[in-house]
Amino acid sequence: MKQKIVFATGNEGKMREVRMILKDVDAELLSMKEAGIKVDIVEDGTTFEENAIIKAKAVAKQIDAIVLADDSGLEVDYLNKEPGIYSSRYMGEDTSYEIKNREIIHRLEGVEDAKRTARFVSAIAAVVPGREEVFTVRGIVEGQIGYEIKGENGFGYDPIFYLPEYGCTSAEIPPEKKNEISHRGKALREMKALLEKENILR
Ligand code: IMP
């Protein structure tokens, strides 16, 4: 029988990426919704890793499957690494990304290129049935905060995350390309390799 992996997120944008990145894994990949899991998770950790572990453990209590969770966000150096672990809660959970993105650009008004550095971080945690330890990995992609909101692909802060090597934002590159270079792509590929090495993924 195929192994089951539940990815602990309610974020459709993330889930879409995860499906593409893990398309070669010989397992049934389910979102929380598809697995019929509803949990209220309080993300009160102080690091991406801690929050990823909190999410993965909370979901693992509900189902006998490999559970993966990603906690991710945008660190803007000029803003002392804000919004960081508060990326989805920045200015309020229900505030649109149009408004959040505009606000970040506004807070960097007049700031020169060299000081606009930022990065996306993704920490992934895995809880595995019958195993005590929780596995974690971290992926990072470096970029800069752009001067305007650009691009229709991706989600969240992608339209203001400028990738100097590509000369565009991560909302302007095709999804396959984003997954190749993104924080989440890197972290998920590393987690896949780790679970294979541990003989957890067949
Ligand atoms: P989480 O779901 O609590 O991990 O929150 C992650 C938040 O970070 C998302 O809601 C986005 O705002 C932001 N984020 C993480 N990864 C990306 C990405 O690949 N593109 C754009 N925004 C991202």
Side-chain angles (χ1 to χ4, degrees), residues 11 14 17 43 55 70-73 87-88 97 120 155-158 178 183-184:
N11 180 322
K14 258 191 207 179
E17 290 185 5
E43 290 179 36
K55 288 188 232 183
D70 150 293
D71 195 63
S72 49
S87 291
S88 61
Y97 276 93
F120 275 131
F155 65 98
Y157 298 100
D158 280 326
K178 180 186 168 191
H183 51 318
R184 192 165 299 102

Side-chain angles (χ1 to χ4, degrees), residues 41-147:
I41 302 171
V42 182
E43 290 179 36
D44 56 1
T46 57
T47 62
F48 291 109
E49 280 78 5
E50 278 177 21
N51 280 336
I53 292 170
I54 289 169
K55 288 188 232 183
K57 280 188 172 172
V59 172
K61 280 196 188 138
Q62 312 280 322
I63 192 164
D64 186 33
I66 298 170
V67 176
L68 299 182
D70 150 293
D71 195 63
S72 49
L74 176 69
E75 290 183 347
V76 181
D77 290 326
Y78 187 77
L79 303 178
N80 298 316
K81 302 204 173 169
E82 265 187 64
I85 58 168
Y86 301 104
S87 291
S88 61
R89 291 167 273 180
Y90 181 60
M91 300 180 76
E93 191 92 45
D94 296 330
T95 303
S96 73
Y97 276 93
E98 179 72 31
I99 292 174
K100 296 185 206 227
N101 283 334
R102 247 193 277 136
E103 175 64 10
I104 291 181
I105 288 181
H106 175 67
R107 290 177 71 188
L108 266 70
E109 217 170 82
V111 174
E112 63 193 273
D113 273 6
K115 290 190 177 159
R116 302 180 76 90
T117 50
R119 72 203 50 76
F120 275 131
V121 178
S122 161
I124 309 246
V127 174
V128 179
R131 297 284 288 253
E132 275 289 314
E133 69 268 61
V134 179
F135 301 91
T136 61
V137 295
R138 172 182 275 227
I140 287 174
V141 57
E142 300 284 347
Q144 291 173 2
I145 299 304
Y147 292 93

